[in-house]
Each structure stands twice: as structure tokens, then as C-alpha cells.
């Protein structure tokens, strides 16, 4: 709540969009919602699982709504954000929290099958690369005069080009190297759980 209020106050005092968009303090609500979800999942009251049956589809529907109907993303990050865009930060975090919590507390629902589709698994394995590369592509890629959603779609597809290359020639070789360098278990050390590419933070 404090993080959300801070965004409003900074916007009112003329802070730049870059300050609000990238500040850890002004984006802490998403991280803290994840912490709250972790506490809920760790303790898991008896009646939580029953209610979370509906959390994943509700969270997914809300996330689609946020992406589809949110105000136009600003073209220049130095331009001041409008008040109409501020709730998008919290709404996207809330919808993601509901989606993840619902998926963890339920099993074999249509949402699990949907998100386990080959196309989404392919995208998920490259999600960290998308996170790393999209700013560079959005900053330097030519858009050929495209505007609005057509511009966004072009930049999204353009981001996949360096992402695919870096995944094939950097990420996968690094993961193979990691598996070879992992020390052998001689029975005296504590077990080391393998980390899959799909479980990395994005």
C-alpha cells in the first residue's frame, strides 16, 4: 500500500516515468505480493485450497484484461506517466499472484494443460532472455512508422530474434557446462536439487 501511494505522490510532484517505472520502492508492491503468497502457501490454512480453485482462471482473465485494455504504453520513457496508468502496476501484480497461487494449490486443471502447451513452454524457457533483451530492442529497433498495437507486436516479435540466438548459443551451453561442473555426490554432502530453466526468475 505504501509503495502504491508513493507512486501517486511522486507523480504528483513531477517525477519522471523512469523514476516511477524502475524504482525498487515504487515497484515493491509486486515483490511484496509474492512474499505474501509465499507465506500463504507455506502455512496453507485448511480453507485456502478450496478458494484457490478459482484463483488461477480469475488471475489469468484479469491479466489478459490488464494487457488488452491498459492505456497506451508511453513511447518515450522520459515522458511523465498519467494517473490512468498507475493502477496497471498493482493490477498486473495481483492477477499474477492469483494465477501462480491457484496453479500451485491445484492440479491437472485446464489452466495447467494450457500453460503446459509446447508453445508456452518454449516461450517460458526463453522468458529470462526476453526480460534481458526487450529494453535494448525497444530502444534501438526501427519501427518503420508503425503505431499503437502494430508497433508493439512488431517490437515483441523483434525481441524474439536476439532471444532465440542467445538461448541457443549462450544459455543452453552455459546450462550444459553447469551440469558438468556440478560436484559429484559422494554421499557425504547434502543433496543439490537441479534448477530447471523454467524455474528461473524473470
Amino acid at each position: 500500500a505504501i509503495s502504491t501511494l508513493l507512486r501517486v505522490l511522486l507523480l504528483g510532484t513531477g517525477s519522471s516515468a523512469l523514476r516511477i517505472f524502475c524504482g525498487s520502492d515504487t515497484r515493491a508492491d509486486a515483490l511484496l505480493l509474492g512474499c505474501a503468497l509465499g507465506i500463504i502457501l507455506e502455512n496453507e490454512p485448511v480453507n485456502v485450497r478450496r478458494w484457490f480453485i478459482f484463483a488461477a482462471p480469475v488471475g489469468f482473465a484479469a491479466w489478459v484484461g490488464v494487457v488488452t485494455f491498459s492505456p497506451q504504453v508511453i513511447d518515450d520513457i522520459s515522458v511523465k506517466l498519467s494517473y490512468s496508468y498507475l493502477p496497471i502496476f498493482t493490477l498486473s501484480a495481483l492477477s499474477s499472484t492469483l494465477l501462480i497461487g491457484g496453479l500451485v494449490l491445484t492440479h491437472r486443471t485446464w489452466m495447467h494443460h494450457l500453460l503446459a502447451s509446447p508453445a508456452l513452454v518454449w516461450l517460458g524457457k526463453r522468458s529470462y532472455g526476453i526480460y534481458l533483451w526487450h529494453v535494448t530492442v525497444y530502444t534501438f529497433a526501427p519501427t518503420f512508422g508503425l503505431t499503437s498495437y502494430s508497433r508493439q507486436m512488431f517490437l515483441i516479435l523483434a525481441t524474439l530474434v536476439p532471444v532465440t540466438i542467445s538461448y541457443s548459443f549462450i544459455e543452453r551451453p552455459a546450462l550444459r557446462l553447469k551440469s558438468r561442473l556440478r560436484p559429484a555426490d559422494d554421499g557425504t554432502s547434502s543433496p543439490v536439487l537441479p534448477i530447471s530453466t523454467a524455474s528461473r526468475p524473470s
Side-chain angles (χ1 to χ4, degrees):
I2 293 173
S3 178
T4 303
L5 179 61
L6 182 60
R7 288 200 295 267
V8 177
L9 293 176
L10 287 176
L11 179 57
T13 56
S15 295
S16 68
L18 183 64
R19 166 67 181 89
I20 297 172
F21 191 80
C22 298
S24 296
D25 51 355
T26 51
R27 302 297 298 277
D29 53 338
L31 294 173
L32 294 173
L33 280 169
C35 294
L37 176 62
I39 294 173
I40 293 174
L41 296 178
E42 179 68 22
N43 294 279
E44 196 178 335
V46 176
N47 61 340
V48 165
R49 187 178 295 273
R50 179 181 62 186
W51 289 106
F52 264 79
I53 293 175
F54 306 101
V58 169
F60 181 72
W63 181 83
V64 171
V66 168
V67 171
T68 304
F69 299 107
S70 62
Q72 174 65 42
V73 178
I74 55 176
D75 292 326
D76 186 352
I77 198 65
S78 65
V79 176
K80 186 170 68 173
L81 289 170
S82 66
Y83 284 104
S84 63
Y85 195 82
L86 288 184
I88 300 302
F89 298 120
T90 302
L91 290 174
S92 60
L94 281 170
S95 60
S96 300
T97 302
L98 287 173
L99 175 59
I100 295 170
L103 290 172
V104 170
L105 289 175
T106 57
H107 303 282
R108 297 181 179 179
T109 67
W110 67 270
M111 286 294 303
H112 289 86
H113 293 299
L114 172 66
L115 295 175
S117 64
L120 291 182
V121 170
W122 183 94
L123 193 64
K125 288 182 177 181
R126 292 155 181 81
S127 60
Y128 192 63
I130 295 172
Y131 166 71
L132 292 178
W133 281 103
H134 82 278
V135 173
T136 301
V137 173
Y138 272 60
T139 302
F140 296 106
T143 55
F144 306 104
L146 297 174
T147 58
S148 191
Y149 283 104
S150 59
R151 178 179 182 274
Q152 294 298 321
M153 290 304 301
F154 172 78
L155 291 173
I156 290 171
L157 293 175
T159 301
L160 293 179
V161 175
V163 166
T164 302
I165 296 172
S166 65
Y167 180 78
S168 299
F169 295 101
I170 299 176
E171 288 190 62
R172 293 186 67 182
L175 290 169
R176 288 194 295 266
L177 181 63
K178 181 185 71 173
S179 63
R180 289 199 298 268
L181 295 177
R182 188 186 305 277
D185 186 8
D186 58 3
T188 60
S189 61
S190 58
V192 178
L193 298 178
I195 301 176
S196 68
T197 57
S199 65
R200 294 170 302 169
S202 59

